[in-house]
Every structure is written in structure tokens, then in C-alpha cells.
């Protein structure tokens, strides 16, 4: 029944009704099957399959509907556009060459001679200077549009000067509040003093404006750029600190609910980064499962988080950060289990777990990293082992600094500790950056050869390690 509704109901005319009815009928049907077929596992599984098909079809309809809203249209030829208006979709990001960029959703365009038209699509804007606004701001840009169709993309880019960008209004009071909160936290971070403030700003808010070009290069060549990218590791550190402080007072249940609210505010403040959203959704699903005393599989939660984000934010699925985030965790959950088998006989358990997680993440992400960047840094596996505990302490101390900044003497002690750890972090990445990277042609064939050889030698070594374990 739900399958028939999804396939034959006039979706284009009754989109909302179609989704609503199919989901309701699916939910009622699977509930009925679960109750009446309690003793028939095959019948229950059959019902689950039909529910999965229905949800998948609904998801595809939602994704198609949302993607259709982002079609490119300028109303007048883009080569004649002299100014345009739209909504900023993300906070500005600084580039190594001193410029910044952000993405704008087009609303209106003008040719400068009185002709205006509605428009849609995205514009990547490169500029030099600083903006006193971010995600959610409506702006006017007096600059030409350049097409990116020749590069395989459907949006545009523009190179205005700082004086060519004019703020109009905020599209949402919530987004204005978010921006003001982020700026307030940034001002508190800057009081730490350079250079520790630059590193903490990158680790805590994803703002790399005060992080030096040389420091970024150290992290890149040490195979540790993932540490600077906001991810589940950062969210885990924040959640762990909240639990540590609140659990003795409020208990685990209320600590989870309070941390969920705080983490939601944090994810919103940072600008809804795909990797943080993935970690946040997984944190909620895992915590909710524990609250209702249900068994939770990290792999199942990862897949469910992927489905939820693909439906809610379909445009993010094609971004590199989204793909790398899921591939890295999938590698940690699946590949590392196999790798640790080889490491256990030789290394302490904690060290083996850490190295196997790094290998698992790098093995899966290299599938994308090699074709895109043409180089990988295997030394990052060892670098992460030493950097992870330092970064954890650094972030925890930085959060305490923001909270205790007004407490006399404490801010000075915390500033000293932050600078001390910062020096250790930079010296380590500087050391590991001396190791050469593995450069590979940006070709899928070479990637496949590389992975095939890795699997081949792994398979050959399996019986050797297995026999060694038996003897030990």
C-alpha cells in the first residue's frame, strides 16, 4: 500500500500530502506486523523491508524536491549582470593567500541600467578584507558574475572589493543571534593572546583567521589537517567535559539532556559543519538509545545519521567534508577492527587501538584524498597518536578559560598552560612535517592499484600473524 502511494500519487501536485500519507501508512503497517507477527521473524523482516523501501522512496522524493530548488537561473544573461543580491549561506573562510570566501544564494540580479530580475543558484565570492556579518545576512554585491559551467559546476563566482559589498538586513533573528554569540566567543578567545588563540580558534570554532600560514602548512605536511577540521573528536571532547562536570550533580540522564542542548547551540554557533552535524546526530541517537535501554550499534547509527542528513541537507552530500567525515568514521568502525588484530601481539592495547583507528580512517579517506589532492601523508598515523592527547587537553583548558576568564589569577594560569601546550603541539607537527608525503597521480587507476596492493600484502601477512598469536 505505501509503495503504491509513493509510485502513483501525483507527487508534483500534492508533495506534502504524499509524504505524510505514505509515512503514516508505513508506520501503521509496520506496527501491525510487529504486533501480529511477534512469533514470525520472517514476516516481521518482510515488513521491515517494505518500510525501508517506502522510506527510501520518500527520501528520494524529498532530495529531488530540495535539489530542484537550487537550479541556476539569473533571469538576464549572467555576462550582463553588474550587481546582485542574496543570502550568505556560510561564515567567511580565510584562505592561505590572504583572501576570504563565502557562498551566496542568489535572489535578485541587475544589469546596472534599471533592468532587474529574480535569480537562483549559488555564487562563490572571493574578497579581501573583513565582514561584520556572516551566515544568514542579506547583502548586495556590486560586481560581475562569472560562470563555472566550464569547470563542471553550475554556480558562479565573483571578485568584489570590500567596498562593493553592502549589508541589507538579517534573514532571521536566530541567525543574527548566532553570529553575535560566535563573535563574543571569538573576542574571549583572542584575549588568550597569540599564538595560542589562533590555534584554539581553529580547533573550537573552525576560524583559522589568526592561525599562521606556516602553522597550517606544518599540520598539512604532518598529515594532521583533520585535527584542525571540526569533527566528532572535538564534539566528543566537549561532551566528555560536560559529562565530567555535570554527572556527579545531575546524574547521567539529565547530564545527557543538558549536554544535548549545549552541543546543539555549539553546532549552530559554528555554522552547521557537516562533520559536526554527523557527530551531533550520532550523539543524539546513541544517547537516546541508551536512555530507553536499547542496544546501539555504532555502524547502524552511522548509516542512520547518513540517511537523516542526506534528507535534511541533500546539497551537503556532495561536499568533500561530508564524504570524508563519514568515510573516516566508517574506516574506524570497520577497518580498525581488522588492523588491531595485527597490532595486539606487539603493542599495548591503548596504543594499538589508537593506531588502528588512524589507519582505518586514513585507509578509507585516501580513496577520496588521492584523486583530489594527489598526495597522502602516512606519517599522520603516528602524528595523530601523539597529538590527540595534547589537543584534548588544549581544547579542555581553552573551554575552561572562556568560562573562567573573569576569575582573577585563573586566566593567567590557564593562559600559561595553553601557551605551553601550544608550543608542544607546534613542535610536534613541525617535526612530523619533515617526513615526505606519498605522491600519487590523480587517477582512479593508481588509487585502485594502491589499495589492491595493500589488501594483497595484508592477506599474505594474515596467517603469519595468526600463527604468531597462537604461539604467544
Amino acid at each position: 500500500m505505501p509503495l503504491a502511494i509513493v509510485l502513483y500519487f501525483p507527487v508534483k501536485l500534492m508533495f506534502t500530502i504524499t509524504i505524510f500519507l505514505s509515512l503514516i501508512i508505513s508506520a501503521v503497517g509496520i506496527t501491525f506486523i510487529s504486533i501480529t507477527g511477534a512469533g514470525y521473524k520472517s514476516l516481521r523482516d518482510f515488513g521491515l523491508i517494505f518500510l525501508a523501501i517506502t522510506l527510501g522512496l520518500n527520501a528520494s522524493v524529498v532530495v529531488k524536491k530540495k535539489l530542484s530548488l537550487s537550479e541556476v537561473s539569473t533571469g538576464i544573461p549572467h555576462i550582463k549582470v553588474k550587481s546582485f543580491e542574496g543570502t550568505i549561506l556560510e561564515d567567511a573562510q580565510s584562505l592561505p593567500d590572504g583572501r576570504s570566501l563565502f557562498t551566496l544564494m542568489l535572489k535578485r540580479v541587475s544589469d546596472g541600467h534599471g533592468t532587474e530580475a529574480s535569480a537562483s543558484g549559488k555564487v562563490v565570492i572571493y574578497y579581501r578584507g573583513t565582514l561584520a556579518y556572516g551566515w544568514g545576512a542579506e547583502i548586495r554585491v556590486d560586481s560581475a558574475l562569472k560562470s563555472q559551467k566550464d569547470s563542471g559546476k553550475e554556480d558562479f563566482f565573483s571578485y568584489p572589493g570590500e567596498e562593493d559589498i553592502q549589508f541589507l538586513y538579517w534573514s532571521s533573528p536566530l541567525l543574527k543571534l548566532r553570529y553575535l554569540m560566535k563573535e563574543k566567543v571569538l573576542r574571549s578567545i583572542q584575549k588568550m593572546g597569540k599564538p595560542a588563540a589562533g590555534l584554539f580558534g581553529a580547533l573550537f570554532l573552525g576560524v583559522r583567521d589568526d592561525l599562521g600560514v606556516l602553522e597550517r602548512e606544518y599540520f598539512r605536511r604532518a598529515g594532521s589537517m583533520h585535527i584542525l577540521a571540526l569533527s566528532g573528536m572535538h564534539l566528543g571532547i566537549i561532551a566528555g567535559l560536560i559529562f565530567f562536570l555535570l554527572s556527579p550533580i545531575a546524574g547521567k540522564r539529565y547530564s545527557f539532556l543538558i549536554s544535548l542542548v549545549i552541543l546543539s547551540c555549539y553546532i549552530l554557533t559554528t555554522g552547521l559543519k557537516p562533520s559536526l552535524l554527523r557527530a551531533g546526530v550520532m550523539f543524539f541517537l546513541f544517547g537516546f538509545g541508551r536512555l530507553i535501554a536499547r542496544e546501539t550499534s555504532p555502524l547502524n547509527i552511522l548509516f542512520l545519521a547518513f540517511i537523516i542528513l542526506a534528507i535534511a541537507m541533500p546539497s551537503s552530500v556532495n561536499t568533500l567534508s561530508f564524504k570524508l567525515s563519514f568515510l573516516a568514521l566508517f574506516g574506524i568502525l570497520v577497518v580498525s577492527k581488522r588492523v588491531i588484530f595485527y597490532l595486539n601481539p606487539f603493542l599495548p592495547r591503548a596504543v594499538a587501538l589508537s593506531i588502528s583507528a588512524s589507519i582505518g580512517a586514513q585507509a578509507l579517506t585516501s580513496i577520496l584524498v588521492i584523486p583530489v589532492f594527489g598526495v597522502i601523508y602516512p606519517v599522520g598515523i603516528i602524528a595523530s597518536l601523539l597529538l590527540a592527547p595534547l589537543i584534548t587537553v588544549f581544547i579542555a583548558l581553552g573551554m575552561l578559560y572562556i568560562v573562567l576568564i573573569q576569575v582573577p589569577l585563573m586566566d593567567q594560569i590557564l593562559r600559561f598552560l595553553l601557551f605551553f601546550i601550544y608550543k608542544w603541539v607546534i613542535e610536534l607537527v613541525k617535526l612530523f612535517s619533515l617526513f615526505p608525503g606519498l605522491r600519487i597521480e590523480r587517477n582512479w587507476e593508481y588509487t585502485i592499484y594502491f589499495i589492491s596492493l595493500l589488501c594483497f600484502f595484508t592477506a599474505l601477512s594474515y596467517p603469519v600473524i595468526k600463527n604468531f598469536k597462537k604461539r604467544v
Side-chain angles (χ1 to χ4, degrees), residues 377-423:
Y377 296 93
V379 71
I381 295 171
I382 306 300
S384 297
L385 177 66
L386 299 178
L387 288 172
L390 286 175
I391 293 297
T392 300
V393 176
F394 187 78
I395 293 177
L397 289 176
M399 292 172 60
L400 288 175
Y401 176 84
I402 294 173
V403 174
L404 303 175
I405 191 172
Q406 301 298 333
V407 178
L409 190 62
M410 282 300 299
D411 64 326
Q412 298 179 20
I413 295 173
L414 289 171
R415 270 207 307 264
F416 171 78
L417 293 174
L418 285 165
F419 179 76
F420 178 77
I421 297 175
Y422 163 83
K423 293 297 290 184

Side-chain angles (χ1 to χ4, degrees), residues 117-173:
S118 298
S120 61
K122 296 179 181 179
V123 185
V124 180
I125 296 179
Y126 298 86
Y127 70 99
R128 292 187 183 275
T130 57
L131 298 179
Y133 37 85
W135 174 34
E138 300 280 341
I139 63 172
R140 177 185 176 89
V141 181
D142 295 321
S143 179
L145 284 178
K146 298 182 182 296
S147 176
Q148 294 194 120
K149 287 185 178 180
D150 293 338
S151 62
K153 300 179 181 179
E154 295 182 343
D155 49 10
F156 305 94
F157 61 94
S158 184
Y159 298 95
E162 186 180 3
E163 67 281 358
D164 298 324
I165 303 175
Q166 178 186 355
F167 172 78
L168 300 177
Y169 56 88
W170 285 98
S171 61
S172 165

